[in-house]
Amino acid sequence: MSLYADQRYRAELAASRAGALVTREPLDGISVPQLVHPDPFLALIDLVEMFYPKPSARKGVDPLASVSPDARLAEDVAILPFATLEAGVTIGARSVVHPGVFLGKDVSIGEDCVLWPNVVIRESCRIGNRVILHPGAVVGADGFGFARREGKFLKIRHVGTVVIEDDVEIGANATIDRGTLGRTLIRSGVKIDNLVHIAHNVEIGRDSAMAAQVGISGSTIVGERVLMGGQVGLVDHLTIGDDAVLIAQSGVIGNVSEKAVVSGYPARPHREVLKIAAELRGLARLRKQIGELERELRSRARGTSDRDEKPEKPDP
Amino acid sequence: MSLYADQRYRAELAASRAGALVTREPLDGISVPQLVHPDPFLALIDLVEMFYPKPSARKGVDPLASVSPDARLAEDVAILPFATLEAGVTIGARSVVHPGVFLGKDVSIGEDCVLWPNVVIRESCRIGNRVILHPGAVVGADGFGFARREGKFLKIRHVGTVVIEDDVEIGANATIDRGTLGRTLIRSGVKIDNLVHIAHNVEIGRDSAMAAQVGISGSTIVGERVLMGGQVGLVDHLTIGDDAVLIAQSGVIGNVSEKAVVSGYPARPHREVLKIAAELRGLARLRKQIGELERELRSRARGTSDRDEKPEKPDP
Amino acid sequence: MSLYADQRYRAELAASRAGALVTREPLDGISVPQLVHPDPFLALIDLVEMFYPKPSARKGVDPLASVSPDARLAEDVAILPFATLEAGVTIGARSVVHPGVFLGKDVSIGEDCVLWPNVVIRESCRIGNRVILHPGAVVGADGFGFARREGKFLKIRHVGTVVIEDDVEIGANATIDRGTLGRTLIRSGVKIDNLVHIAHNVEIGRDSAMAAQVGISGSTIVGERVLMGGQVGLVDHLTIGDDAVLIAQSGVIGNVSEKAVVSGYPARPHREVLKIAAELRGLARLRKQIGELERELRSRARGTSDRDEKPEKPDP
């Protein structure tokens, strides 16, 4: 089964060995069955459910897990080998805690969550319902905050927390630091890809998405439905407006307004960046033009001045 | 023992406290023994084997590991404490599974592999022979793929897999996502450094190498013997030709042809980038040149026009 | 409690719901109590200790840990579930080893260290006193070093080590590779943020700091009190002078001198980069200016040459 949602890949279809095709409009010259749907990605979600039934849920606490007698587990949870649940941890109904997961003191996990192997959530952090944490994700490590005295760094102990609301997904080996005093806040519906870094006291608005390796510095506030491409970086204490788009690898050092589309370093409106890039490619030509202008002006000057103004050399 | 393979570091040699030297050509003024070899790096491989014997291989299943009765282990494997092998896992001869490793249902590992601590490989992924996975590497997490309806993201369940062929090395805390439907494919001989991100359905051709923190977006196809410097980013659905070189921090947003050398954002042929960088440094000078041209032209215009065209001030 | 240390955030204070304020100078129009201190960050350190007492230290070896009989543990250490200590490991007084930590053969850990969950330290690496390793940090994985013969990579076995001195902090999921032959060296007081990559044989001088996602290539030497913003990348074999500042996302491909402030790719003095950025924004204007000059020159040429030099068209 293959998905065809973008005109750009029309040429690749011929070479595809897919057994069936999901497409927005019927296509000519395709020998495999076509499933026509106005939104192929939505159709795909249903098709996957049909063709790839979910494995039956695991339940129970593995004898090789380390669960504090003080932890509270709702019905139908699964706690797998080598998971550690410290005192005061609560796990909502039907959530699955895979091997090697660490949940610090008083961490609370909502219902229907999946914590993949080796996820770490430090003390007091709160996770909503239907949250997915991919392998190796770290929630609630200390923020990178120090006082500096005579060139040496003094650690500011981070006593804040992380709050992750419902329906959030955090990528493999991503890191979400706890607040210095207050909280780092990931609002509901946010999707965070692998190896993303979210610093202390950041807030991410509802339904925003960050592709892999994005880095967001301390106390920056990101609006709702903001989209960030891979490897985007934001400095601290910024405000990013709702529905803004930060194109891959942008280096954002100033606030971004609602619905703005920015790129480059330092990030500017993308249209401006494209214009400058075009100008840059013409820069050598520009330099030549100026050289020619100078020569022309000089020869012209010589042509007129030789006769009536300030001859550089005496006429022989 | 020290290695001298590059003229650039000639000056550093004098200061070196190495007890011996491997060098391409005999060097004057060096007091320590010199081992001359046409390829110092190759010589180093043999020297390390001679001077640093490998520790004797560990064998057997630790009683603190969690191994499904349904897993199949070849001879002479080592399964260390707190490793989890779910049902249907197969491990080839002489492979070592370090503490904290998670192998999901039906994962297959070839012969002579080393899985360092806390590696995670999710269900159904297949690993070839002589593959090294460094600590914390994650193989087979869900790709970052969503359908969007009314501003909200709907998860596309990722039912594809990851296939890693022979002689591949994956760096510490790197992440290789599973395909949406098909597979993410890392061909034989590929070397991937730490904290690299490879998205769903990417294919990497034989003997390519990626330095640390590279990010490759979904469905991009990388050729053979491609070299990428650190922090390079590639958008989705690209094709990178064989033997291409992507210089560190490049932001690649278009296809790259065979043997091309690109850099910058958006990535362009490196020679062009160097030229533009040089032009940029001359930009202020260019602006001055133009200013002078304007002044000269204006004064010249005044010089001639004063007499015969449109005098701005009446002659006294 | 909130911290006010920067004029930039004066406007935000009004909206703050903080119950008290630490400030450098007394502020008007603020209704909550103000604690005035010449260095608010220093004051914060003391305030946190007062208001958030540290939890009482844990002690002892959990029965679910895997500790070699050959490991040496000082008094008052805590070894928590699913930690692995191989033969020859030494742990200094009062250090805490959290769940899922792996310490390879002969690793030595100093006094008062905290190794958060799932930290991996491979064989022979040495950690000083009061070092904090955040969750998922990997110390001592093989460097990314290969010999290349006929397009194929041959692994250089890495037999060096990592030495981390006192008072160092390493971020979550950061990776510090071991030396090829010698050592990778992190000097005392260095602070490394999440997801940073430090390659083989790098040396970082005392009291330097690197924000998240920085990548430093092999054998580069960083001076003392150097500051690097997020996502900075450095190529191999560079020397960075003491007190240099590398601004976020810089791509550094040449040595940087003492106290220099650099940015951009390729990294240049930041003042120069700002100038060029300003020039770039004026590039379109520059192009127009040149066009006007050309037109003026041409019309002027026609004006004079029509009469006395080379008329293009015969006068009617």
Side-chain angles (χ1 to χ4, degrees), chain B residues 194-236:
Chain B
N194 297 348
L195 296 167
V196 166
H197 167 69
I198 310 274
H200 51 106
N201 299 92
V202 165
E203 288 187 30
I204 311 282
R206 294 171 70 100
D207 301 314
S208 288
M210 275 135 277
Q213 298 171 322
V214 162
I216 305 186
S217 303
S219 301
T220 281
I221 311 292
V222 175
E224 305 189 351
R225 295 171 307 282
V226 171
L227 301 179
M228 302 189 197
Q231 299 183 334
V232 165
L234 290 83
V235 303
D236 58 301

Side-chain angles (χ1 to χ4, degrees), chain A residues 39 41-46 167 169 189 191 207, chain B residues 143-158:
Chain A
D39 187 335
F41 285 106
L42 277 182
L44 182 62
I45 289 174
D46 293 336
D167 300 299
E169 200 163 329
K191 309 299 180 186
D207 302 314
Chain B
F144 198 63
F146 301 90
R148 213 173 175 200
R149 187 164 51 182
E150 291 158 24
K152 298 210 174 301
F153 295 103
L154 302 174
K155 184 175 179 63
I156 299 173
R157 196 146 61 84
H158 278 63

Side-chain angles (χ1 to χ4, degrees), chain B residues 102-120:
Chain B
F102 171 85
L103 303 178
K105 196 163 174 293
D106 296 325
V107 163
S108 86
I109 307 288
E111 302 184 345
D112 298 297
C113 291
V114 180
L115 280 61
W116 286 106
N118 295 347
V119 161
V120 172

Side-chain angles (χ1 to χ4, degrees), chain C residues 167-194:
Chain C
D167 300 300
V168 169
E169 200 163 327
I170 312 269
N173 287 340
T175 64
I176 320 281
D177 282 354
R178 65 197 309 117
T180 309
L181 297 169
R183 63 192 183 175
T184 304
L185 177 58
I186 314 292
R187 292 223 181 260
S188 62
V190 167
K191 309 299 179 185
I192 294 176
D193 200 358
N194 297 347

Side-chain angles (χ1 to χ4, degrees), chain B residues 32 41 47 52 72 99 105 120 142 150-151 175 201 220 263 282:
Chain B
V32 300
F41 285 106
L47 285 167
Y52 300 85
R72 280 163 300 162
K105 196 163 174 293
V120 172
D142 291 350
E150 291 158 24
T175 64
N201 299 92
T220 281
S263 71

Side-chain angles (χ1 to χ4, degrees), chain A residues 52 58 169 194 207 287, chain B residues 86 152 155 157 177 279:
Chain A
Y52 301 86
R58 285 193 275 195
E169 200 163 329
N194 297 347
D207 302 314
R287 199 169 40 77
Chain B
E86 299 204 324
K152 298 210 174 301
K155 184 175 179 63
R157 196 146 61 84
D177 282 354
E279 299 280 354

